[in-house]
């Protein structure tokens, strides 16, 4: 957060860093421990994450969506640009409750697209704007500080605000995808699948909540420093 470096020591900035770090580590630790726990529990269907996701896609009106395997752990995602679920190796080929839950969550995103889920449309429309804003706001802020141009600093805050809006719009998209996954597993799996999916996907949702909260705190901090400066 470059704005800080031009004001000397700031306890508020230090507190923000500490809080942000704790929130991020706690959220990541929780999702990893929960995922690990349910990775050791076989799903009742006996199918892999990719197989269950395939069925969910076909029944949810998204049969044209493909499924591919990617590297990494918890790198799973649905990419509307190539219309494919990209599942990490574990969740693609294994049949644990965690694998099935994550795969169905990503299938939930594909079903959102197929059904025209409005928050997802908004999120997708914001992507190019947010990509530009994320890359530009720091440069604009530094120019504003070095050149003493309050208008540039204000513009940097507006650009950063788009990132915050994106984080907030992401929340209902992720929560709804998890809801779709749990609902599908409750109707097509066993009680263990539903219970595990709720725990795994709730833990995953908390990472998005933490990210949104950190972004809001950063924006509030920057706006406060800007107002103090002026």
């Amino acid at each position: 957060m470059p704005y800080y470096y031009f004001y000397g020591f700031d306890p508020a900035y230090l507190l923000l860093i500490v809080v942000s770090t704790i929130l991020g580590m706690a959220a990541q630790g929780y999702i990893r421990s929960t995922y690990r726990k349910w990775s050791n529990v076989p799903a009742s269907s006996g199918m892999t994450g990719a197989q269950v996701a395939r069925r969910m896609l076909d029944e949810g009106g998204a049969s044209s969506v493909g499924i591919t395997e990617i590297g990494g752990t918890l790198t799973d995602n649905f990419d509307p640009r190539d219309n494919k679920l990209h599942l990490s190796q574990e969740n693609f080929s294994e049949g644990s409750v965690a694998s099935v839950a994550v795969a169905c969550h990503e299938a939930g995103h594909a079903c959102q697209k197929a059904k025209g889920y409005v928050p997802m449309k908004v999120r997708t429309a914001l992507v190019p704007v947010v990509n530009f804003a994320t890359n530009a706001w720091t440069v604009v802020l530094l120019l504003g500080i070095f050149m003493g141009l309050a208008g540039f600093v204000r513009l940097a805050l507006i650009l950063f605000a788009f990132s915050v809006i994106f984080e907030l719009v992401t929340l209902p998209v992720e929560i709804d995808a998890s809801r779709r996954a749990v609902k599908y597993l409750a109707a097509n799996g066993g009680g263990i699948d539903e219970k595990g999916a709720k725990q795994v996907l709730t833990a995953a949702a908390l990472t998005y909540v933490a990210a949104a909260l950190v972004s809001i705190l950063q924006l509030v901090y920057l706006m406060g420093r800007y107002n103090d400066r002026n």
Side-chain angles (χ1 to χ4, degrees), residues 121-134:
K121 286 184 175 181
V122 174
R123 184 181 185 277
T124 301
L126 283 173
V127 168
V129 178
V130 172
N131 286 341
F132 170 78
T134 300

Side-chain angles (χ1 to χ4, degrees), residues 18-37:
V18 171
V19 171
S20 299
T21 301
I22 291 174
L23 282 173
M25 291 179 63
Q28 287 298 320
Y30 184 50
I31 177 59
R32 290 187 181 279
S33 64
T34 305
Y35 179 80
R36 231 177 3 251
K37 169 187 173 182

Side-chain angles (χ1 to χ4, degrees), residues 64-141:
S64 64
V65 176
I67 303 178
T68 62
E69 183 180 333
I70 58 173
T73 301
L74 292 178
T75 50
D76 313 82
N77 66 90
F78 166 63
D79 191 339
R81 293 170 299 181
D82 62 7
N83 202 36
K84 290 181 180 178
L85 301 191
H86 300 272
L87 302 180
S88 59
Q89 184 177 6
E90 276 184 298
N91 298 329
F92 183 92
S93 59
E94 294 186 7
S96 69
V97 170
S99 297
V100 168
V102 173
C104 286
H105 171 85
E106 299 306 332
H109 284 309
C111 292
Q112 287 174 337
K113 180 176 180 288
K115 300 294 185 181
Y117 183 60
V118 174
M120 188 176 192
K121 286 184 175 181
V122 174
R123 184 181 185 277
T124 301
L126 283 173
V127 168
V129 178
V130 172
N131 286 341
F132 170 78
T134 300
N135 293 323
W137 83 271
T138 303
V139 175
V140 175
L141 179 64

Side-chain angles (χ1 to χ4, degrees), residues 7-222:
Y7 289 88
F9 177 74
D10 183 358
Y13 175 79
L14 181 60
L15 178 62
L16 175 59
I17 292 298
V18 171
V19 171
S20 299
T21 301
I22 291 174
L23 282 173
M25 291 179 63
Q28 287 298 320
Y30 184 50
I31 177 59
R32 290 187 181 279
S33 64
T34 305
Y35 179 80
R36 231 177 3 251
K37 169 187 173 182
W38 289 100
S39 290
N40 295 317
V41 180
S44 62
S45 65
M47 295 189 294
T48 66
Q51 289 171 334
V52 177
R54 178 74 272 159
R55 287 193 174 187
M56 182 175 170
L57 290 170
D58 293 341
E59 294 176 21
S63 57
S64 64
V65 176
I67 303 178
T68 62
E69 183 180 333
I70 58 173
T73 301
L74 292 178
T75 50
D76 313 82
N77 66 90
F78 166 63
D79 191 339
R81 293 170 299 181
D82 62 7
N83 202 36
K84 290 181 180 178
L85 301 191
H86 300 272
L87 302 180
S88 59
Q89 184 177 6
E90 276 184 298
N91 298 329
F92 183 92
S93 59
E94 294 186 7
S96 69
V97 170
S99 297
V100 168
V102 173
C104 286
H105 171 85
E106 299 306 332
H109 284 309
C111 292
Q112 287 174 337
K113 180 176 180 288
K115 300 294 185 181
Y117 183 60
V118 174
M120 188 176 192
K121 286 184 175 181
V122 174
R123 184 181 185 277
T124 301
L126 283 173
V127 168
V129 178
V130 172
N131 286 341
F132 170 78
T134 300
N135 293 323
W137 83 271
T138 303
V139 175
V140 175
L141 179 64
L142 289 173
L143 286 174
I145 292 172
F146 280 125
M147 300 174 66
L149 299 174
F152 271 44
V153 176
R154 190 180 304 113
L155 177 59
L157 295 181
I158 292 172
L159 290 173
F160 185 75
F162 276 106
S163 298
V164 178
I165 293 171
F166 184 77
E167 295 280 4
L168 294 175
V169 172
T170 294
L171 289 177
V173 175
E174 295 297 330
I175 291 171
D176 179 76
S178 293
R179 180 191 64 79
R180 291 171 189 260
V182 172
K183 182 179 179 181
Y184 179 80
L185 291 173
N188 297 276
I192 192 69
D193 300 324
E194 181 182 3
K195 179 182 177 182
K198 283 182 178 179
Q199 290 189 17
V200 170
L201 298 178
T202 297
L206 290 177
T207 64
Y208 293 99
V209 173
L213 183 56
V214 167
S215 294
I216 291 170
L217 290 174
Q218 289 176 339
L219 180 60
V220 170
Y221 171 82
L222 290 171

